[in-house]
Amino acid sequence: MATRKTVKKAAETTTQTQEVKTAEKAAAEAVKAEKAAAKETEKSAVKETAKAAEEKPAKAEKKTTARTRKTTAAKKEIKTEIVLQYGEKEVSTKDMIAAVKKEWTKAKHKISDIKSMELYVKPEDYAVYYVINGDTTGKVWL
């Protein structure tokens, strides 16, 4: 037969086991509640981000369109040609530039070496004076 102490110990053990199980259930429920709260927070953040993303493209689109217009306007270059008429002669800027480049290559230089070119037209001398890359000077007859 079981003694009173054994029965009492068994009852205490059962009670402790039930308390542990209850505590474990409470802890599990708390973890579930935290996860649910985290999911809700995440969903809210995703919704806010989505709303912000919907608003930003509209603003960005407007800016992009304005930039595109400015860029297109800036890239649109007017085709121009300058023709010098003096006395009975007529010379275009294209011809002057070609003559300077020809003179440059005669001096054993490469066209690709030209970084800048300044032309000074002096019709009374029938000549174009040039400065290439800021240091090389010369003269070409028109």
Side-chain angles (χ1 to χ4, degrees):
M1 246 180 41
T3 62
R4 277 190 201 184
K5 286 185 180 180
T6 308
V7 172
K8 194 174 183 183
K9 270 191 176 181
E12 286 175 6
T13 304
T14 306
T15 306
Q16 287 175 350
T17 304
Q18 287 175 350
E19 287 174 359
V20 169
K21 286 181 181 178
T22 305
E24 286 175 349
K25 283 182 183 178
E29 287 177 12
V31 169
K32 284 182 184 178
E34 286 178 20
K35 285 181 180 178
K39 282 184 181 179
E40 284 300 316
T41 305
E42 188 177 325
K43 284 180 183 178
S44 297
V46 169
K47 286 179 182 178
E48 288 176 17
T49 305
K51 283 182 184 178
E54 287 175 3
E55 291 173 5
K56 285 182 182 178
K59 291 178 183 177
E61 216 173 275
K62 289 178 185 176
K63 288 181 182 178
T64 303
T65 305
R67 286 184 193 147
T68 304
R69 287 184 196 144
K70 287 180 183 178
T71 305
T72 304
K75 285 184 180 179
K76 210 176 206 183
E77 194 171 311
I78 300 170
K79 184 179 178 181
T80 59
E81 184 177 342
I82 298 172
V83 178
L84 172 69
Q85 294 180 337
Y86 184 75
E88 295 180 17
K89 289 200 169 209
E90 182 176 290
V91 183
S92 72
T93 53
K94 290 178 184 177
D95 293 338
M96 289 182 226
I97 292 170
V100 170
K101 285 182 178 179
K102 186 175 180 182
E103 188 73 23
W104 178 257
T105 54
K106 279 184 183 177
K108 309 258 184 198
H109 297 289
K110 295 179 183 176
I111 299 288
S112 62
D113 293 339
I114 299 174
K115 304 295 179 218
S116 67
M117 180 187 301
E118 298 172 32
L119 302 178
Y120 300 91
V121 182
K122 198 166 181 186
E124 60 270 8
D125 292 347
Y126 293 104
V128 175
Y129 296 89
Y130 62 87
V131 178
I132 295 178
N133 298 334
D135 59 2
T136 306
T137 60
K139 174 178 161 183
V140 176
W141 298 104
L142 294 176

